[in-house]
Amino acid sequence: MMNRIFGVSLLGFLVLSCAPTTPAEETGPSPGAGTVTVNNLKFTDIVPADSRVEKIDEGFLFIEGPVWVKDPGYLLFSDVRGDAILKWAPGAQSEPFLTPVFNGPSPPEPRSIGPNGLTLDGSGNLVILETGNRRVARMSLGGGDRETLVERFQGDRFNSPNDLVYHSSGALYFTDPPYGLQGQDESPEKEIDFNGVYRLDPDGTLTVLTRELSRPNGLAFSPDEKILYIANTDPQQKVWMAYDVEKSGAISNGRVLFDATEITAPGGPDGMKLDATGNLYCTGPGGILILTPEGRHIGTIEVDEVPSNLAWGDKDSKTLYITARTGLYRIRLNIQGLLPVGVR
């Protein structure tokens, strides 16, 4: 098991010119530490100045979709190109939990055919977005066969389901970009002529919520579930959107929460999670961008690799586990995370 420690470069700044600013505070580097620059004192309430990012495992192909299982306490995550769901527990190396996931023949070169987003439903079952199989599936954490929850919209196969989140009503919200298709939007296998965001109700009713985003990806609810945030991973429109959630479960009043299109650092809007006070932790250009509910960028946690997704874990939900290409990382924070409905 890897236990390498990296310093964190925490670059805090306000992006709204009308927002009040506070004098910058800077701590000098200590051995092995990154530089901490803070222009907003709220950031130091979240990320301790002496925080470290710890690399806890490595050697994967492209990892994604982490979810923490509280009892007995372990992390599940996907290797989209390695076609596996892996399990990591404190004090142990990662080990296969489910492999293979893709039902077809293995491609000659690794590509995104395996599982992606993972979460738990209200009954504690593992819900899997299967990129190559182009479906949403469910299985018991104890093992056994996988059950298909949904794989088509109006008779057409999904593109490649990517990320997901449950509402307390039991409705599952998920995104369906074309990343698993060779050629993406130009793929002859693409059956749906848009890249949608969907809601699957407990009775099996499937509704498309929006067709307007070119590359819908990560998504999360605000703590009161009145807002749904959606990341758009388009190099020409790297934005996080906010939508009002209506009583019916539909979404409306889409607006840009934060636009990162001009940030040239590697990475794009991908997975996201919220803390208990409503701040967003968004994998994106340059690392993990921390945004206030109003859309102010108050800081960035830089990781050794480009991050793809993240999940809160440990008994107090104050550890942020991060999937980043070939490595698995974590960082301890001062604030408690907002756990998915099925994990609370």
Side-chain angles (χ1 to χ4, degrees), residues 85 97-98 101 115 117-130 133 135-151 164 166 170-172 200-204:
I85 297 174
F97 178 83
L98 178 67
V101 175
L118 305 174
T119 195
L120 302 179
D121 66 14
S123 299
N125 297 303
L126 181 65
V127 180
I128 310 165
L129 295 190
E130 300 183 1
N133 294 332
R135 69 175 186 173
V136 181
R138 175 175 63 192
M139 66 175 290
S140 167
L141 286 173
D145 294 335
R146 306 197 304 277
E147 170 192 3
T148 298
L149 296 181
V150 66
E151 59 185 345
L164 72 172
Y166 269 101
L172 179 66
L200 180 65
D201 291 329
D203 65 1

Side-chain angles (χ1 to χ4, degrees), residues 68-249:
W68 182 260
V69 180
K70 291 183 68 174
D71 187 15
Y74 60 85
L75 188 78
L76 294 176
F77 59 100
S78 299
D79 193 332
V80 188
R81 293 179 184 168
D83 191 18
I85 297 174
L86 298 135
K87 174 183 176 181
W88 178 90
Q93 289 183 309
S94 298
E95 60 183 27
F97 178 83
L98 178 67
T99 186
V101 175
F102 182 53
N103 292 335
S106 299
E109 296 182 358
R111 66 182 183 89
S112 299
I113 60 167
N116 199 318
L118 305 174
T119 195
L120 302 179
D121 66 14
S123 299
N125 297 303
L126 181 65
V127 180
I128 310 165
L129 295 190
E130 300 183 1
T131 299
N133 294 332
R134 301 164 70 174
R135 69 175 186 173
V136 181
R138 175 175 63 192
M139 66 175 290
S140 167
L141 286 173
D145 294 335
R146 306 197 304 277
E147 170 192 3
T148 298
L149 296 181
V150 66
E151 59 185 345
R152 295 178 182 270
F153 172 69
Q154 295 182 347
D156 294 324
R157 296 185 71 195
F158 291 128
N159 302 319
S160 49
N162 187 284
D163 206 351
L164 72 172
V165 64
Y166 269 101
H167 187 272
S168 60
S169 66
L172 179 66
Y173 290 63
F174 65 95
T175 56
D176 185 40
Y179 291 123
L181 303 176
Q182 285 194 305
Q184 298 192 29
D185 284 334
E186 307 305 318
S187 172
E189 296 181 340
K190 186 174 169 65
E191 298 181 17
I192 299 174
D193 62 2
F194 60 88
N195 302 313
V197 181
Y198 298 86
R199 185 187 76 245
L200 180 65
D201 291 329
D203 65 1
T205 301
L206 180 69
T207 304
V208 60
L209 298 172
T210 179
R211 310 175 184 215
E212 68 179 19
L213 299 177
S214 54
R215 291 293 185 275
N217 199 319
L219 72 176
F221 285 108
S222 61
D224 61 7
E225 297 186 322
K226 292 182 178 180
I227 299 174
L228 177 68
Y229 301 104
I230 305 175
N232 190 60
T233 317
D234 187 331
Q236 307 304 316
Q237 192 181 27
K238 295 184 285 189
V239 298
W240 286 269
M241 300 291 294
Y243 296 84
D244 295 334
V245 181
E246 301 176 4
K247 290 183 179 180
S248 65

Side-chain angles (χ1 to χ4, degrees), residues 221-294:
F221 285 108
S222 61
D224 61 7
E225 297 186 322
K226 292 182 178 180
I227 299 174
L228 177 68
Y229 301 104
I230 305 175
N232 190 60
T233 317
D234 187 331
Q236 307 304 316
Q237 192 181 27
K238 295 184 285 189
V239 298
W240 286 269
M241 300 291 294
Y243 296 84
D244 295 334
V245 181
E246 301 176 4
K247 290 183 179 180
S248 65
I251 60 175
S252 61
N253 188 29
R255 65 270 187 196
V256 174
L257 178 77
F258 185 76
D259 190 336
T261 307
E262 301 304 316
I263 300 178
T264 58
D270 204 330
M272 77 176 96
K273 294 294 185 294
L274 274 70
D275 65 31
T277 65
N279 298 307
L280 292 82
Y281 298 69
C282 306
T283 57
I288 298 170
L289 286 67
I290 301 181
L291 310 178
T292 68
E294 299 76 30

